[in-house]
């Protein structure tokens, strides 16, 4: 048993008993100080300032800390030199005497407070998307046989918010960087004002290139706009001194063209992508080109603001018999985040009777007495919607069509706004028409 005094503050502290078999009892102030990692803010870090006596205050996100810069608040300016050398949760004052507490921004806060030229995928939605991809990685040791790296394609980089969440999800698979990315103090025209003056050393550096060859997980993110790519690159590099930036490769161009170029460069027709996420208009135009590059059972996720765009993908896959099996359609955003939608192509049973020359169909819970219930592509009856199916059958007779799309939330929910995510799984080519 050892007795010691913890010298963390000027206030009187009681003796703390330290024993392997007994917990350490700390006062609230000591616990708060031990809860921080003890690291102080340095030049190049980003800090979040919140008013000490206003818990609802959103906060001010700083530029990368620099001795010659200041943060402008409505309570007065704060010099970066007041933050440099301080610890997380320390208190600083403006020239007017108003107190702010220093925080290290979480990934969620960083995404919400960074300026943007395009709407980001917000953290609550990004977390759902990453969860549905079901990514599992583990550190690789020198004794472990090397496998092909896990590669994920994100088409539609945008703000870079989802890129950061994906990179965090795979981060454990890659070895530590040989050294933190060196930031250069220059004013050579970074377009995003928050990160102006920040740049990373030449990526062709031999040590960094050697590290890249040992990566076991990579995020390929692609955007048609060079401006979006440049801003997103700075957003990714700006979070905690670029700790996740090494996992990401940024590309500019068209999705289908990029896949064709990668296939040619790799000199193989074998699939190389573990998952693909399309967050761009007209995603259905790229589905056929994505399929050869996607591993069997790999996830294809399509994010769109409108459910009708997901429907267009469903119809494209059915009409062209593409090797995808719809896993789920999920609504994102607001209080209904995570709610599943029923989206599928169906045929009214009355159309099947006419096609097969059959008479009436016996009543069942899945269809009315006139046999007007629907069946999906697997031939299974879709129950509980007989009245709606009658209307659909009349509409299809007028349009001379055999198929119609069901597009509705699961029973018991109200329809409200929000984005939509469709998730498909890549089937084996031999399973086409049987899955």
């Amino acid at each position: 048993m050892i007795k010691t005094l913890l010298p963390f503050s000027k206030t009187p502290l009681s003796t703390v008993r330290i024993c392997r078999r007994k917990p350490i009892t700390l006062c609230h102030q000591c616990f708060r100080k031990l809860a921080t990692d003890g690291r102080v803010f340095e030049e190049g870090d980003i800090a979040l300032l919140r008013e000490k006596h206003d818990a609802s205050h959103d906060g001010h996100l700083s530029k990368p800390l620099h001795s010659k810069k200041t943060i402008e608040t409505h309570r007065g300016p704060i010099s970066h030199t007041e933050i440099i050398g301080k610890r997380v949760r320390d208190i600083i004052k403006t020239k007017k005497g108003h107190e702010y507490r220093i925080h290290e921004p979480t990934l969620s806060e960083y995404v919400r407070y960074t300026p943007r030229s395009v709407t980001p995928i917000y953290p609550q939605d990004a977390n759902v998307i990453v969860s549905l991809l079901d990514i599992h990685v583990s550190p690789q040791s020198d004794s472990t046989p090397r496998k092909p790296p896990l590669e994920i394609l994100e088409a539609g980089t945008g703000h870079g918010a989802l890129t950061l969440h994906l990179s965090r999800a795979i981060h454990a698979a890659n070895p530590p960087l040989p050294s933190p990315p060196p930031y250069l103090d220059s004013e050579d025209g970074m377009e995003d004002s928050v990160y102006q003056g920040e740049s990373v050393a030449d990526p062709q550096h031999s040590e960094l290139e050697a590290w890249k060859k040992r990566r076991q997980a990579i995020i390929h993110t692609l955007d048609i706009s060079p401006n979006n790519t440049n801003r997103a690159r700075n957003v990714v590099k700006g979070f905690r001194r670029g700790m996740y930036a090494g996992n990401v490769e940024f590309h500019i161009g068209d999705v289908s063209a990029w896949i064709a170029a990668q296939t040619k460069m790799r000199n193989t027709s074998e699939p190389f992508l573990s998952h693909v996420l399309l967050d761009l208009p007209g995603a259905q135009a790229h589905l056929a080109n994505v399929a050869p590059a996607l591993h069997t059972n790999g996830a294809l996720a399509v994010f769109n603001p409108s459910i009708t765009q997901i429907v267009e993908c469903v119809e494209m896959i059915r009409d062209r018999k593409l090797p995808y099996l719809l896993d789920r359609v999920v609504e994102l955003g607001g209080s209904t985040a995570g709610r599943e939608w029923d989206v599928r192509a169906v045929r009214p049973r009355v159309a099947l009777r006419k096609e097969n020359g059959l008479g009436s169909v016996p009543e069942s819970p899945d269809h009315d007495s006139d046999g007007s219930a629907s069946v999906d592509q697997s031939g299974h009856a879709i129950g509980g919607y007989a009245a709606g199916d009658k209307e659909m059958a009349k509409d299809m007779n007028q349009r001379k069509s055999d198929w119609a799309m069901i597009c509705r939330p699961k029973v018991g929910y109200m329809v409200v706004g929000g984005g939509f995510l469709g998730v498909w799984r890549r089937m084996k080519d031999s399973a086409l028409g049987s899955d």
Side-chain angles (χ1 to χ4, degrees), residues 49 60 68-83 92-100:
L49 304 184
H60 299 280
K68 296 181 180 180
K69 295 180 180 178
T70 60
I71 301 175
E72 298 295 335
T73 75
H74 65 290
R75 302 285 190 181
I78 299 175
S79 172
H80 285 194
T81 56
E82 295 292 323
I83 303 173
I92 58 175
K93 293 183 179 181
T94 67
K95 293 182 178 180
K96 297 180 179 180
H98 294 284
E99 294 182 320
Y100 283 85

Side-chain angles (χ1 to χ4, degrees), residues 307-319:
I307 189 63
T308 58
Q309 294 166 301
I310 301 296
V311 169
E312 290 173 354
C313 292
V314 173
E315 291 179 322
M316 171 73 76
I317 291 170
R318 174 178 59 81
D319 293 342

Side-chain angles (χ1 to χ4, degrees), residues 230-247:
N230 290 335
R231 293 189 180 100
R233 183 185 285 112
N234 291 325
V235 167
V236 173
K237 290 175 181 177
F239 182 69
R240 301 201 177 181
R241 306 181 73 89
M243 67 179 299
Y244 298 133
N247 307 323

